[in-house]
Amino acid sequence: MGETQLEEEVWGPTPDYLGGNVVRLANAVMKGTALQLSPFELTPIEFTILGICYRTGTTTISRMARVMPVDAGRISRVVNKLYEQGLLTRKSLKDDRRVVHLGLTEDGLRLVPELIERVQEHNAMLAEGITSEERAVFIAVSEKILSNFARNWVEGAAE
């Protein structure tokens, strides 16, 4: 059975089934990203954590948990692994020892740009043949869907 036939059996042949298309897209992005990161023995979630620290300078697990689709406990375990690998630093606040700021070590600062380049190469391959207008529409529609989710999730969670 071919991959396309299997996908149609699982998700159905209708192109307007949002959930199935999102899952297939996320799968393509995550599997390719994992393949790009495998020579470094890193996973996509580890890359995401390193990338957040690279962009923000320092952050906390609770801040990461607000923007990542992973719970704080899982993030904490991954952070511990990255710390043990010498890629992350941890610094507790003097006023509140429960708050730990995370940052990149020198090794992390050297590694992350190379990781970003590899992931961007994969993303560029996925975007082959997509015009800048199509990309803008995709981003706008994605942002609208995410906004709808955030608005309704917050309202639904408050009930």
Short mmCIF file of all heavy atoms in Angstrom, two decimals, residues 111-134:
data_model
loop_
_atom_site.label_atom_id
_atom_site.label_comp_id
_atom_site.label_asym_id
_atom_site.label_seq_id
_atom_site.Cartn_x
_atom_site.Cartn_y
_atom_site.Cartn_z
N LEU A 111 27.07 26.02 18.79
CA LEU A 111 26.33 24.96 18.12
C LEU A 111 25.02 25.43 17.48
O LEU A 111 24.69 25.02 16.36
CB LEU A 111 26.03 23.83 19.11
CG LEU A 111 25.23 22.65 18.58
CD1 LEU A 111 26.00 21.93 17.47
CD2 LEU A 111 24.88 21.70 19.72
N VAL A 112 24.28 26.28 18.16
CA VAL A 112 22.93 26.62 17.71
C VAL A 112 22.89 27.22 16.30
O VAL A 112 22.02 26.82 15.51
CB VAL A 112 22.21 27.51 18.75
CG1 VAL A 112 20.89 28.05 18.20
CG2 VAL A 112 21.95 26.71 20.03
N PRO A 113 23.77 28.13 15.91
CA PRO A 113 23.69 28.63 14.53
C PRO A 113 23.80 27.53 13.47
O PRO A 113 23.10 27.57 12.45
CB PRO A 113 24.86 29.61 14.44
CG PRO A 113 25.05 30.08 15.84
CD PRO A 113 24.77 28.86 16.68
N GLU A 114 24.63 26.53 13.73
CA GLU A 114 24.75 25.40 12.79
C GLU A 114 23.45 24.59 12.75
O GLU A 114 23.00 24.17 11.68
CB GLU A 114 25.92 24.51 13.18
CG GLU A 114 26.17 23.40 12.18
CD GLU A 114 27.40 22.57 12.50
OE1 GLU A 114 28.17 22.92 13.43
OE2 GLU A 114 27.58 21.55 11.81
N LEU A 115 22.85 24.39 13.91
CA LEU A 115 21.58 23.67 13.97
C LEU A 115 20.49 24.44 13.20
O LEU A 115 19.72 23.84 12.44
CB LEU A 115 21.14 23.47 15.42
CG LEU A 115 22.06 22.67 16.33
CD1 LEU A 115 21.52 22.66 17.75
CD2 LEU A 115 22.26 21.26 15.80
N ILE A 116 20.44 25.74 13.43
CA ILE A 116 19.44 26.57 12.75
C ILE A 116 19.62 26.48 11.24
O ILE A 116 18.64 26.34 10.49
CB ILE A 116 19.53 28.04 13.24
CG1 ILE A 116 19.03 28.12 14.69
CG2 ILE A 116 18.73 28.97 12.33
CD1 ILE A 116 19.27 29.46 15.35
N GLU A 117 20.87 26.53 10.79
CA GLU A 117 21.14 26.44 9.34
C GLU A 117 20.63 25.12 8.77
O GLU A 117 20.00 25.09 7.71
CB GLU A 117 22.64 26.59 9.09
CG GLU A 117 22.99 26.61 7.62
CD GLU A 117 24.49 26.81 7.40
OE1 GLU A 117 25.10 27.58 8.17
OE2 GLU A 117 25.01 26.20 6.45
N ARG A 118 20.87 24.02 9.47
CA ARG A 118 20.41 22.71 8.99
C ARG A 118 18.88 22.64 8.93
O ARG A 118 18.31 22.12 7.97
CB ARG A 118 20.94 21.59 9.89
CG ARG A 118 22.40 21.31 9.68
CD ARG A 118 22.86 20.21 10.63
NE ARG A 118 23.92 19.45 10.02
CZ ARG A 118 23.75 18.35 9.29
NH1 ARG A 118 22.57 17.87 9.08
NH2 ARG A 118 24.78 17.72 8.76
N VAL A 119 18.22 23.15 9.95
CA VAL A 119 16.76 23.12 9.99
C VAL A 119 16.20 24.04 8.91
O VAL A 119 15.21 23.70 8.24
CB VAL A 119 16.24 23.48 11.39
CG1 VAL A 119 14.74 23.68 11.40
CG2 VAL A 119 16.63 22.38 12.39
N GLN A 120 16.82 25.19 8.69
CA GLN A 120 16.37 26.09 7.64
C GLN A 120 16.51 25.46 6.26
O GLN A 120 15.68 25.68 5.38
CB GLN A 120 17.11 27.42 7.71
CG GLN A 120 16.65 28.29 8.85
CD GLN A 120 17.47 29.55 9.01
OE1 GLN A 120 18.62 29.63 8.58
NE2 GLN A 120 16.88 30.54 9.66
N GLU A 121 17.56 24.66 6.05
CA GLU A 121 17.71 23.95 4.78
C GLU A 121 16.54 23.00 4.56
O GLU A 121 15.99 22.91 3.45
CB GLU A 121 19.02 23.15 4.76
CG GLU A 121 20.26 24.01 4.63
CD GLU A 121 21.54 23.21 4.82
OE1 GLU A 121 21.49 21.96 4.93
OE2 GLU A 121 22.62 23.85 4.86
N HIS A 122 16.14 22.30 5.61
CA HIS A 122 14.98 21.40 5.51
C HIS A 122 13.71 22.19 5.21
O HIS A 122 12.92 21.82 4.34
CB HIS A 122 14.82 20.58 6.79
CG HIS A 122 13.57 19.77 6.81
ND1 HIS A 122 13.35 18.72 5.95
CD2 HIS A 122 12.45 19.86 7.57
CE1 HIS A 122 12.16 18.20 6.18
NE2 HIS A 122 11.61 18.87 7.17
N ASN A 123 13.53 23.29 5.93
CA ASN A 123 12.34 24.12 5.70
C ASN A 123 12.31 24.67 4.28
O ASN A 123 11.25 24.73 3.65
CB ASN A 123 12.28 25.27 6.71
CG ASN A 123 12.01 24.79 8.12
OD1 ASN A 123 11.56 23.67 8.33
ND2 ASN A 123 12.29 25.63 9.09
N ALA A 124 13.47 25.04 3.75
CA ALA A 124 13.54 25.55 2.37
C ALA A 124 13.15 24.45 1.39
O ALA A 124 12.44 24.72 0.40
CB ALA A 124 14.95 26.06 2.07
N MET A 125 13.57 23.22 1.65
CA MET A 125 13.19 22.10 0.79
C MET A 125 11.67 21.92 0.82
O MET A 125 11.04 21.72 -0.21
CB MET A 125 13.91 20.83 1.24
CG MET A 125 13.58 19.59 0.42
SD MET A 125 12.06 18.70 0.87
CE MET A 125 12.35 18.26 2.56
N LEU A 126 11.07 22.01 2.00
CA LEU A 126 9.62 21.87 2.11
C LEU A 126 8.89 22.98 1.37
O LEU A 126 7.79 22.77 0.86
CB LEU A 126 9.19 21.87 3.58
CG LEU A 126 9.59 20.66 4.42
CD1 LEU A 126 9.19 20.88 5.87
CD2 LEU A 126 8.97 19.38 3.87
N ALA A 127 9.49 24.15 1.31
CA ALA A 127 8.84 25.31 0.69
C ALA A 127 9.16 25.47 -0.79
O ALA A 127 8.76 26.46 -1.40
CB ALA A 127 9.25 26.58 1.45
N GLU A 128 9.88 24.50 -1.39
CA GLU A 128 10.19 24.59 -2.81
C GLU A 128 8.92 24.74 -3.63
O GLU A 128 7.93 24.03 -3.40
CB GLU A 128 10.96 23.34 -3.27
CG GLU A 128 12.40 23.33 -2.84
CD GLU A 128 13.12 22.04 -3.23
OE1 GLU A 128 12.56 21.23 -3.99
OE2 GLU A 128 14.26 21.86 -2.75
N GLY A 129 8.94 25.67 -4.57
CA GLY A 129 7.80 25.88 -5.45
C GLY A 129 6.69 26.72 -4.86
O GLY A 129 5.68 26.96 -5.52
N ILE A 130 6.85 27.17 -3.64
CA ILE A 130 5.84 28.01 -3.01
C ILE A 130 6.25 29.46 -3.21
O ILE A 130 7.37 29.85 -2.87
CB ILE A 130 5.71 27.69 -1.50
CG1 ILE A 130 5.24 26.25 -1.32
CG2 ILE A 130 4.76 28.66 -0.81
CD1 ILE A 130 5.24 25.78 0.12
N THR A 131 5.33 30.25 -3.76
CA THR A 131 5.64 31.65 -4.03
C THR A 131 5.61 32.44 -2.72
O THR A 131 5.05 31.99 -1.72
CB THR A 131 4.63 32.27 -5.01
OG1 THR A 131 3.34 32.31 -4.37
CG2 THR A 131 4.55 31.48 -6.31
N SER A 132 6.16 33.63 -2.74
CA SER A 132 6.14 34.48 -1.54
C SER A 132 4.70 34.85 -1.19
O SER A 132 4.37 34.98 -0.01
CB SER A 132 7.00 35.72 -1.74
OG SER A 132 6.57 36.46 -2.85
N GLU A 133 3.84 34.99 -2.20
CA GLU A 133 2.43 35.30 -1.93
C GLU A 133 1.74 34.11 -1.24
O GLU A 133 0.98 34.29 -0.28
CB GLU A 133 1.68 35.65 -3.22
CG GLU A 133 2.10 36.96 -3.85
CD GLU A 133 3.38 36.84 -4.71
OE1 GLU A 133 3.78 35.70 -5.08
OE2 GLU A 133 3.98 37.88 -4.99
N GLU A 134 2.02 32.89 -1.74
CA GLU A 134 1.43 31.70 -1.12
C GLU A 134 1.93 31.54 0.32
O GLU A 134 1.17 31.18 1.21
CB GLU A 134 1.79 30.45 -1.93
CG GLU A 134 1.08 30.38 -3.27
CD GLU A 134 1.62 29.28 -4.17
OE1 GLU A 134 2.84 28.98 -4.10
OE2 GLU A 134 0.83 28.74 -4.97
#
